[in-house]
Amino acid sequence: MSQVALGLGAIKTRRSVFALVVDMVAATQIVKCAAGLHIGVRNFDSAEKLVAQAAIERPFLVILDFEKREAEAFRVLNELHKNADLKNTPAVGFVTQANVMVKPEAEKAGCFRVYMKTEFGRELPDLIARYAV
């Protein structure tokens, strides 16, 4: 069994997780989970900045906040899929129950999976580890 599966060590990757997350609790969770695996995180305040930097750094995962950055998150998905070098970059997101109608739209737009916010927090360590390897 790998160290990742056991949660015993660092994951060997030079690439980072990119996030478009406004929610400070979620952003903090992402940073803490990634740091525990010795993985860097870059949080962006706009779709344009995230996509421009993604073209340079090639993140292994993009996390999108569909609750507070819905329009920007859809812009990221659109731009990732238009770029031949980035179209296979996995993107996942989260949303609260109040905005659950966004979930099927986001998945149709290319988001691999949209989690309910509480589920996202529980799944985050495994999610980062799964895409990092």
Side-chain angles (χ1 to χ4, degrees):
M1 191 171 276
S2 73
Q3 287 184 334
V4 172
L6 294 173
L8 296 176
I11 293 174
K12 304 290 189 224
T13 183
R14 289 190 176 155
R15 299 187 312 164
S16 300
V17 173
F18 277 18
L20 182 69
V21 176
V22 173
D23 182 284
M24 289 307 293
V25 172
T28 301
Q29 281 182 308
I30 293 165
V31 169
K32 284 182 180 179
C33 287
L37 297 169
H38 304 282
I39 294 172
V41 176
R42 304 245 351 238
N43 195 14
F44 294 86
D45 60 2
S46 75
E48 292 78 19
K49 290 177 185 175
L50 187 151
V51 173
Q53 198 61 37
I56 297 166
E57 290 185 39
R58 306 280 166 76
F60 68 85
L61 177 65
V62 174
I63 299 175
L64 302 169
D65 180 346
F66 283 99
E67 184 61 28
K68 305 217 180 211
R69 289 282 191 182
E70 181 181 336
E72 291 282 311
F74 277 105
R75 230 174 272 131
V76 168
L77 290 174
N78 184 42
E79 292 299 320
L80 289 177
H81 288 6
K82 285 187 341 188
N83 184 316
D85 292 330
L86 299 174
K87 69 180 180 183
N88 293 321
T89 303
V92 298
F94 63 87
V95 68
T96 61
Q97 187 64 38
N99 207 16
V100 72
M101 299 144 320
V102 171
K103 186 176 177 179
E105 294 173 38
E107 290 172 347
K108 185 177 179 183
C111 198
F112 281 33
R113 180 157 180 202
V114 179
Y115 294 86
M116 298 308 295
K117 193 170 180 182
T118 54
E119 178 187 20
F120 175 77
R122 273 193 321 269
E123 296 291 325
L124 188 58
D126 291 336
L127 177 71
I128 291 174
R130 182 178 330 127
Y131 286 104
V133 292

